[in-house]
Amino acid sequence: MKQILMTGVGSYLPETILTNNDLSQFVDTNDSWIKQRTGIESRRKAKPEELTSDLAVRAAEKALHSAGLAANDIDCIIVATTTPDCTFPATATIVQNKLGAFNAFAFDVQAVCAGFVYALSVANGLMSSGQGKNTLVIGAETFTKLLDWSDRSTCVLFGDGAGAVVLQAEESEDGYGIIANTLHSDGRYKDILYVDGGVSSTGSIGHVRMQGRDVFKHAVEKLAAAMDEVLSIAELTADDIDWLVPHQANVRIINAMQKKLNLADEKVIKTVSTHANTSAASIPLALAAGVEAGKIKPGHLLALEAIGGGLSWGACLVRFGRPG
Ligand code: ACO
């Protein structure tokens, strides 16, 4: 039986750092409000000429290096993004060209902050059916380009970055790689988190609009249910989790999930203080940070979960690396 193993991880953050104090220079906010309500202290911001595909390529190159693969070994590239370089072609094909990964088919997945768990699940399905032996799954965003910088209720929350993983379909010991995943959407909640623009509506890009309190309420309830679901599919319990690698939207949501799963601080990767909410990039960025810090090791059971606009949400259990 083929397993879909996670064998490489990489990430990239743009150089420019925007602190909460920087934001307070041009919008009515302050460091203590932002820190207390969200846990965010700073975020990265891409330069105008720095595109989502540029961030994605930097992360992908590191992920390929850590998996010991070359670009032409890759046969599928999936980019999860809400901030594509252009309306079409897919950012994944631009990444393919910049990487020189010409043996791959490439496409984007749009599920906003849940994009990375959606892309992992799509990759798992394709690879399990024989399409793609070595797949790059990338979450990449220049989310700050979607913000209304005069709206303090949203502009303080987001940042830019990219993270990537290499998945490899291999005959392997059972219980490694992607073990279980679940995806959900409920379009009735479109109006609590959306962008007020688009090709077929306004013809402009638009800006993020959010009823934060409503999103918060749904987040904890739906993520906890999704996590219960994947644990039950895998016939595991929260005690089996080595690392919770959650979507990094707000430290209070992460802490609530940690509490529901009864996990010690040492079992949760938290990067929201310096990354802010990087939407589809947040989980692979956190994953890479955990691996680089020597926390996440081969054989560890990772629990990934995310929710975003749609609403769309999901969770995934992965046993990291290769056996042995
Ligand atoms: N600085 C200072 N004050 C502010 C700011 C700010 N940046 N933003 C809002 N306030 C004020 C409000 O105006 C309000 O003032 P009032 O009481 O005088 O009316 C007060 O602070 C409280 O505002 P709330 O919105 O009720 O604050 P809340 O405690 O709910 O925190 C937050 C807001 C941080 C947005 C929170 O609701 C949250 O994190 N929600 C979840 C967001 C999320 O998870 N998004 C994930 C998906 S994102 C995606 O998919 C793209």
Side-chain angles (χ1 to χ4, degrees):
M1 174 76 179
K2 283 225 159 57
Q3 310 290 320
I4 310 306
L5 305 180
M6 190 178 281
T7 59
V9 181
S11 67
Y12 178 74
L13 290 164
E15 277 172 22
T16 307
I17 297 174
L18 263 189
T19 64
N20 294 343
N21 283 331
D22 293 334
L23 297 183
S24 70
Q25 304 303 307
F26 57 85
V27 66
D28 181 16
T29 190
N30 57 77
D31 179 55
S32 89
W33 190 96
I34 302 172
K35 258 203 299 235
Q36 199 190 357
R37 303 283 176 131
T38 70
I40 297 167
E41 294 173 21
S42 62
R43 72 284 294 140
R44 300 298 181 105
K45 188 171 184 290
K47 295 187 180 80
E49 68 278 13
E50 213 171 5
L51 307 185
T52 294
S53 63
D54 296 321
L55 275 50
V57 166
R58 302 287 286 269
E61 285 170 342
K62 291 188 195 165
L64 284 172
H65 181 75
S66 84
L69 294 182
N72 60 12
D73 293 323
I74 293 298
D75 43 29
C76 172
I77 300 172
I78 307 176
V79 174
T81 189
T82 300
T83 47
D85 288 13
C86 42
T87 304
F88 80 80
T91 300
T93 59
I94 301 169
V95 170
Q96 174 198 29
N97 189 31
K98 289 181 179 173
L99 280 176
F102 300 117
N103 295 321
F105 61 95
F107 61 97
D108 291 355
V109 163
Q110 205 319 23
V112 206
C113 295
F116 188 73
V117 289
Y118 267 67
L120 274 186
S121 183
V122 170
N124 187 41
L126 283 170
M127 295 173 82
S128 299
S129 70
Q131 296 183 84
K133 188 186 174 312
N134 300 322
T135 294
L136 259 176
V137 179
I138 306 168
E141 302 280 14
T142 48
F143 213 89
T144 60
K145 297 183 184 186
L146 259 189
L147 298 175
D148 172 354
W149 290 100
S150 66
D151 176 9
R152 68 177 182 175
S153 69
T154 53
C155 77
V156 303
L157 303 175
F158 296 93
D160 301 332
V165 298
V166 172
L167 301 179
Q168 295 189 261
E170 286 179 15
E171 295 295 337
S172 172
E173 197 178 300
D174 208 17
Y176 265 78
I178 297 179
I179 296 172
N181 44 45
T182 181
L183 301 177
H184 294 274
S185 304
D186 192 336
R188 287 172 295 185
Y189 297 112
K190 168 191 168 279
D191 292 339
I192 66 172
L193 179 53
Y194 67 103
V195 165
D196 59 1
V199 176
S200 75
S201 53
T202 62
S204 62
I205 296 166
H207 295 114
V208 175
R209 305 294 173 206
M210 177 167 73
Q211 292 169 34
R213 211 162 258 209
D214 290 339
V215 175
F216 193 104
K217 199 179 68 201
H218 285 289
V220 179
E221 177 196 305
K222 290 179 167 46
L223 292 174
M227 194 50 73
D228 282 349
E229 208 181 325
V230 282
L231 286 168
S232 148
I233 294 167
E235 298 180 354
L236 295 169
T237 71
D239 290 344
D240 296 308
I241 296 172
D242 291 300
W243 291 103
L244 176 66
V245 190
H247 173 47
Q248 310 279 325
N250 185 319
V251 80
R252 291 188 291 141
I253 297 176
I254 298 173
N255 290 344
M257 280 300 292
Q258 177 179 350
K259 198 166 164 207
K260 276 191 185 287
L261 294 166
N262 196 25
L263 294 175
D265 260 348
E266 297 69 42
K267 290 189 159 197
V268 186
I269 305 287
K270 297 179 190 178
T271 52
V272 66
S273 64
T274 54
H275 294 176
N277 182 349
T278 56
S279 187
S282 93
I283 289 179
L285 273 166
L287 198 53
V291 172
E292 278 162 27
K295 294 176 174 176
I296 296 173
K297 297 198 166 69
H300 279 171
L301 182 71
L302 312 181
L304 319 178
E305 40 87 336
I307 185 164
L311 294 174
S312 290
W313 66 99
C316 182
L317 291 177
V318 185
R319 195 168 298 282
F320 185 68
R322 283 191 176 86

